[in-house]
Amino acid sequence: VLGQVNPVKNVVKLAHQANVPVLIDGAQAVMHQQVDVSELDCDFYTFSAHKLYGPTGTGVLYAKTEHLTSMVPWEGGGAMIDQVTLPIGTSYGQAPWKFEAGTPNIAGILGLGAAIDYVENIGLNAIAAHEAKLMHYMEKSLANVAGIEIYGESKNRSGLISFNLKGHHSFDVGAFLDRYGIAIRTGHHCAMPMVKKLGQSSVCRASIGLYT
């Protein structure tokens, strides 16, 4: 909702001091900046393909080796079995294959691979520089619009700005902008408690990417 880059490395460190494993949802990060899971020291890291300009219906889940080894499969099917014996006996293959039951989303995975190649060819550092320039321009321009209320802080903001236009519902603002070919998202953005904390029922969110 706020586009703030959170200090996840510090959060992971504190969690690990309490012996708590950490999963990071990186869906809003991987298209904007370099991500090093070893440096973050997170136990799990996940993101969806469509946020990285790939196809819908697939994504990535990274896990540390010790978790992949200790966790049991949650789904059964072909290619994840080591041995099946009668009357009752089953052993599973090694990770990651023990989690890959049946036929995977082959087309989606190939599409994600192509999207990753595309982004890497452009360069994440180049993408970050382009987006930072656009972010500065958008912040400066919105600040000059009467009645605009911007949420979050400029410091460590990446990828988006959330705002409302006083006296107008966000849905109406979104519908109006759509008539001029300007696409934003309106609503609570899968984060209703955060939006309520802002004292709003919904907000407008303008996002930027490498194609903006």
Side-chain angles (χ1 to χ4, degrees), residues 79-157:
M80 49 84 71
I81 294 294
D82 177 35
Q83 295 288 327
V84 176
T85 58
L86 296 175
I88 298 176
T90 302
S91 60
Y92 303 112
Q94 298 297 312
W97 297 281
K98 67 178 178 179
F99 302 112
E100 300 288 347
T103 304
N105 182 0
I106 298 170
I109 293 168
L110 290 173
L112 172 57
I116 291 172
D117 290 340
Y118 174 73
V119 168
E120 288 189 336
N121 286 336
I122 296 173
L124 282 162
N125 290 333
I127 292 171
H130 171 71
E131 292 180 351
K133 184 178 179 181
L134 289 175
M135 180 66 72
H136 177 73
Y137 173 75
M138 182 160 62
E139 287 180 328
K140 185 178 178 181
S141 299
L142 282 175
N144 293 324
V145 178
I148 284 283
E149 185 174 46
I150 297 176
Y151 307 109
E153 300 177 354
S154 295
K155 184 180 179 181
N156 292 330
R157 178 187 276 144

Side-chain angles (χ1 to χ4, degrees), residues 29-41:
V30 292
M31 77 296 286
H32 296 302
Q33 62 191 41
Q34 295 276 358
V35 174
D36 187 336
V37 292
S38 296
E39 182 182 358
L40 292 173
D41 196 29

Side-chain angles (χ1 to χ4, degrees), residues 10 43 46 56 72 99 111 151 153 161 179 181:
N10 294 338
D43 299 274
T46 184
T56 57
V72 297
F99 302 112
Y151 307 109
E153 300 177 354
I161 294 179
R179 294 176 60 185

